[in-house]
């Protein structure tokens, strides 16, 4: 359904900016408004996010998105997997760079 990267980015954005509108979140994440709405509904169904209306807002459709304890747990789980994957990518890039350096050094002989 969602990649770890998508889950991580959205959960992180909601944690850091819980009062952003769906439109603002969609722009920040590079999602269409429809995709973001779909993601938020799915996250609410999973119990990772709850949405509450701003009580003092003139805009009655303004919501505050808050991670639930289950959402915080999921974010921690996804963050660990995301970090592990990025570390593996980093190690692979380091190996590629070293191989390229050796190739260049051999060509200069």
């Amino acid at each position: 359904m969602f990649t770890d990267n998508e889950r991580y980015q959205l959960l992180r954005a909601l944690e850091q900016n819980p009062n952003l509108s769906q439109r603002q979140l969609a722009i920040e994440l590079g999602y269409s408004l429809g995709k973001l709405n779909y993601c938020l509904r799915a996250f609410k169904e999973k119990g990772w996010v709850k949405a509450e209306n701003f009580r003092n807002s003139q805009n009655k459709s303004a919501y505050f998105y808050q991670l639930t304890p289950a959402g915080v747990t999921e974010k921690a789980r996804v963050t660990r997997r995301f970090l592990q994957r990025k570390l593996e990518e980093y190690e692979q890039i380091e190996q590629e760079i070293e191989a390229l350096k050796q190739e260049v050094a051999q060509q200069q002989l």
Side-chain angles (χ1 to χ4, degrees):
M1 180 192 277
F2 302 106
T3 66
D4 276 349
N5 186 40
E6 289 173 323
R7 259 186 292 226
Y8 170 73
Q9 296 298 334
L10 181 51
L11 289 169
R12 181 173 163 234
L14 290 172
E15 184 177 57
Q16 291 177 347
N17 304 300
N19 58 343
L20 288 180
S21 70
Q22 284 191 19
R23 188 171 306 283
Q24 291 167 318
L25 276 170
I27 290 168
E28 183 176 313
L29 296 170
Y31 291 0
S32 70
L33 193 53
K35 178 178 179 172
L36 182 72
N37 186 278
Y38 174 81
C39 292
L40 287 173
R41 269 192 273 128
F43 283 19
K44 286 190 315 191
E45 287 175 12
K46 290 182 178 286
W48 297 342
V49 173
K50 66 179 181 176
E52 297 179 18
N53 286 83
F54 284 118
R55 285 182 173 65
N56 298 328
S57 176
Q58 298 296 330
N59 179 2
K60 297 302 177 191
S61 65
Y63 287 94
F64 174 82
Y65 296 97
Q66 185 175 17
L67 295 185
T68 63
V72 172
T73 300
E74 178 62 15
K75 182 182 175 287
R77 196 175 304 132
V78 170
T79 300
R80 280 191 299 277
R81 287 193 307 258
F82 185 76
L83 176 60
Q84 182 60 41
R85 188 173 52 257
K86 291 299 179 181
L87 288 170
E88 289 169 3
E89 290 173 7
Y90 177 76
E91 289 173 10
Q92 182 180 5
I93 289 170
E94 279 186 318
Q95 291 171 1
E96 290 176 23
I97 289 171
E98 192 56 41
L100 287 169
K101 284 180 179 179
Q102 290 175 7
E103 185 179 327
V104 168
Q106 288 176 354
Q107 290 174 355
Q108 291 177 349
L109 295 177

